[in-house]
Amino acid sequence: MIKTSSKASKKLSFDEFRKEVLNDYKIAITSRECSALGRREVLTGKAKFGIFGGGKEVPQLAMAKAFKKGDWRSGYYRDQTFMMAIGEYNPQHFFSSLYAHPDIKVERFSAGRQMNGHFATHSLNEDGTWKDLTKQYNVSSDISTTSGQMPRLLGLAEASTKFRKIDSLKSKTNLSNNGNEVAWGTIGNASTSEGPFFETFNAAGVLQVPMVISIWDDSYGISVPAKYQTTKESISEVLKGFQREDNKKGFEIFIVEGWNYTQLVDVYSKAAKIAREEHVPVLIHVKDLTQPFGHSTSGSHERYKTAERLDWEKEYDCIAKMREWILHFELENQEGEHYKFVQNEQEIINIEKQVKKEVATARRSAWNAYIQPMIEEREELLALLTSVSETSEHTIFLDKLKRELAAIDEPLRKNILTIGRKSLIYIRDESSEEKENLQKWIQNFRAIQQPKYSSHLHSELQTKATNITEIEPVYDEETELVDARIVLRDNFDTILDQKDEVLIFGEDSGMIGDVNQGLEGLQKKFGEDRVYDTGIREVSIIGQGIGLAMRGLRPIAEIQYLDYLFYATTAIMDDLATLHYRTVGKQKAPLIIRTRGHRLEGIWHSGSQMGAIINLFRGLYILVPRNMTKAAGFYNTLLKSDEPAIVIENLNGYRLKELMPNNLGEFTTPIGVVETVKEGLDITIVSYGSTLRMVEEASKDLSLVDVDVEIIDAQSLLPFDLNHEVLTSIQKTNRLVIIDEDVPGGASAYLLDQIVNKQKGYYYLDSQPTTITAKAHRPAYGTDGDYFSKPSINDIFEGVYQIMHEADPVKYESLY
Ligand SMILES: Cc1ncc(C[n+]2csc(CCOP(=O)(O)OP(=O)(O)O)c2C)c(N)n1
Ligand SMILES: [Mg+2]
């Protein structure tokens, strides 16, 4: 600390140190005061819920010191002090997020879409281009699921290894500075009981990535103490085997007291150096933390902590300990001079008083910014209601509504709209200019408000994936039929050649080039850094992809079979699918998930759970190409845009023959566009994936009995048929059947709803719209198991024929 010998510089460096310590203390107590006042805001009803960082302040000061521009954090709801210490959060922001202020310029993490304590920075400019991520602190947007932050952390850290190792990425200086960036994870002690924590932890040790994981250990997970959470009640004990040794790679592990400021600062600086310079993962187990306000505003910790524990928490409160240290710190140099942080306690009390004032002012100002526009909007509506009421026959009712609205002290938009919309019911049979003004105001108001809650599920930029138009595959005259996997493989080859930022990885994706040889020889050609094997660990494979994509790379993460996608559900559903929405487009992860399914056999390899996928993973594009050329086209489309998607290849299609296009890497399959693969007049069949081939087979038999079917390949389930081409088909055939191998009520029900309700197909139907699906149970194994579980060509024939029979029993006589 005091290294030079000259008196003046000694004094100067101590002064600087003193300033830093006092500033840190100020940040810690500002954070604590926010928690205290925030809790009151919930108890008095101004905010709905609060979850705060009380008791975890001091270690976060230390982490913030080691956190450099360009670094990334993937953490959880306790990190408010860290956010304040890096300058990305202040009391006004704190209260704005508590009130869920719906403006991204004010509540900069999620525009109030997430509850408080879910932090983020902005990676993207207004036009969707990357900011210079090396010149800012990067906080990947938090999610609420305990340990859900871990899988993504793996990719955020792995990206540094890619930027350091792959020469052609070195020019991307806005994304990385030679891979010097550390990814910092934070997690609560109890959340380490979760699978994603252990899976990610192990993978980080295998991959040797620059990651520092802090475990904020307060001995509880809400009310459940460590003895029910963790073997030996200590996560660092459990993880000892991960400690690196002289000739064995692993983690560096630190254990530190959470109230010990100097020890913390020292440990964090060492941890950062190891991770940054050596690219070695580090664990910091921060023990002895407390939770002075309890878990959240939903309950009180006095209910489940003993009196002894509560006393201990008071004594070991990290801020109280830091205060003691500041007060009693005294250094004497060789000349006998004494250095102190403060001369007396009053100096500290003065800082504390000032902080209280500052936080109270910030609270008022955040509340006014939140409520004032709504008070004005209420006035607008009241004025409109007054003028309607003056000419209405329902003055009594309208005035009652007005009084109701005027009586609300702090009106929300829900209150305003509820009254406005109700008023229209009373005057539904009146007509006046005043009423028209009211109607317009309500419609306009809704049009302005709704996007605040519903925008940005997908990209809203010109570059969005659904704007990429079709480029058809082009064939040379002497083009040959090849195994379809060769089309896919050669297209990946071209992609890897053209785009340095593309990385492909998964179980068996590297050395053998995936289980179906779609990547054959590509690791050899492009190296292990670009095409590589992973452990069997689906949730962290997806997390790896999310993190890599958030740092500007273009990962293609492979999930070996569709049924195993669900191991990664939290990473896809909670993290990837919501990222763009929950940051209002300020962060993105254009991860492409490659998997294979359809027409698999057996309970564990059915490959058909499309209904679950489209319902759980809204926010991703769900693409179901019927062959490998279509699949390759989807990869090309996705790489020309920047949104996340799942491409489901047909497992039984790799060895079928397809023509080899000559514009590999270039041709595209459009997203949200169906394709009519056979025209017909009698009935429209919508299907997708490999079921489509069976439909084509059945249609030949149907034509023999004079049923002329039109077959439409959905291709893209999310989004489905943006141009309403199925409707055009139904206008011609007036009959509809949807066929897939999902369970009844699965993706076929979704397609039915899209066509009958959204496209308003019901106007044109002369027969009951029907679905032909698999049985409700998981499919049984083997040829007969498949025949009796999934729709067969017989089932398709008979299902379609039955509709024709009902329409014209004379022409189409009953089969049975
Ligand atoms: C997957 C999941 N399960 C349960 C919860 C509910 N929950 C939220 S926080 C929490 C306790 C977490 O304790 P810990 O990890 O020790 O963090 P702390 O709050 O103590 O800092 C629980 C059970 C959740 N958010 N997500
Ligand atoms: Mg805990």
Side-chain angles (χ1 to χ4, degrees), residues 422-685:
K422 241 178 159 173
S423 70
L424 288 182
I425 302 173
Y426 293 115
I427 54 172
R428 64 192 181 283
D429 55 356
E430 294 182 7
S431 67
S432 67
E433 200 185 323
E434 288 78 8
K435 178 183 165 182
E436 266 173 41
N437 289 341
L438 176 65
Q439 286 170 320
K440 269 190 216 141
W441 189 90
I442 291 171
Q443 278 172 325
N444 186 41
F445 190 65
R446 291 179 73 179
I448 293 169
Q449 300 308 325
Q450 189 64 49
K452 292 181 181 167
Y453 301 92
S454 300
S455 72
H456 293 88
L457 180 59
H458 298 282
S459 171
E460 299 186 354
L461 299 165
Q462 273 310 306
T463 48
K464 65 184 177 183
T466 45
N467 274 359
I468 307 289
T469 49
E470 179 169 20
I471 300 174
E472 290 190 16
V474 177
Y475 300 98
D476 294 333
E477 264 177 38
E478 66 278 16
T479 293
E480 285 175 39
L481 279 168
V482 294
D483 280 357
R485 61 127 192 145
I486 305 277
V487 176
L488 208 51
R489 182 198 65 186
D490 289 3
N491 192 68
F492 281 131
D493 189 340
T494 308
I495 286 172
L496 285 160
D497 202 38
Q498 288 174 347
K499 296 184 190 323
D500 298 326
E501 61 278 21
V502 171
L503 310 165
I504 310 182
F505 53 91
E507 296 154 18
D508 301 291
S509 306
M511 211 221 331
I512 65 163
D514 91 43
V515 284
N516 295 93
Q517 301 277 279
L519 300 167
E520 183 195 15
L522 299 185
Q523 181 178 73
K524 205 155 186 204
K525 182 165 175 189
F526 295 97
E528 281 185 42
D529 289 319
R530 303 230 12 233
V531 181
Y532 50 106
D533 288 317
T534 66
I536 305 173
R537 47 175 182 77
E538 286 78 11
V539 73
S540 59
I541 289 174
I542 296 302
Q544 210 170 331
I546 297 172
L548 289 165
M550 290 181 82
R551 291 193 59 183
L553 297 169
R554 293 307 308 264
I556 300 178
E558 188 175 319
I559 296 296
Q560 198 158 70
Y561 297 107
L562 183 137
D563 299 62
Y564 310 131
L565 200 58
F566 300 99
Y567 263 69
T569 300
T570 177
I572 305 174
M573 176 176 81
D574 299 322
D575 200 358
L576 182 60
T578 67
L579 179 70
H580 195 260
Y581 171 80
R582 74 181 191 264
T583 60
V584 198
K586 299 301 179 193
Q587 293 187 1
K588 68 174 177 183
L591 167 63
I592 300 172
I593 300 173
R594 175 186 186 219
T595 189
R596 48 188 71 84
H598 311 304
R599 297 305 322 166
L600 300 181
E601 287 182 7
I603 298 176
W604 320 115
H605 300 84
S606 81
S608 331
Q609 298 91 322
M610 235 51 66
I613 292 172
I614 56 176
N615 284 313
L616 297 179
F617 304 157
R618 296 283 158 109
L620 270 71
Y621 294 128
I622 308 297
L623 308 171
V624 284
R626 69 177 179 278
N627 61 37
M628 299 308 152
T629 308
K630 289 283 172 188
F634 275 137
Y635 292 117
N636 296 338
T637 302
L638 290 165
L639 288 167
K640 285 174 200 248
S641 52
D642 63 347
E643 296 185 78
I646 304 179
V647 180
I648 298 159
E649 297 167 12
N650 287 327
L651 184 68
N652 59 6
Y654 294 111
R655 304 215 172 260
L656 301 178
K657 301 291 179 195
E658 290 182 38
L659 288 172
M660 176 62 83
N662 69 16
N663 55 345
L664 294 169
E666 192 50 39
F667 65 89
T668 55
T669 312
I671 290 174
V673 179
V674 300
E675 186 175 328
T676 304
V677 295
K678 178 189 171 305
E679 292 195 6
L681 293 170
D682 293 331
I683 184 163
T684 301
I685 303 182

Side-chain angles (χ1 to χ4, degrees), residues 51 56 76-78 144-146 187-192 194 216 218 220-222 291 295:
I51 188 144
K56 317 284 189 295
Y76 79 119
Y77 51 77
R78 294 282 177 227
S144 288
T145 44
T146 47
I187 184 166
N189 57 297
S191 300
T192 66
E194 297 272 20
W216 306 144
D218 59 11
Y220 284 84
I222 310 187
Q291 201 132 275
H295 175 75

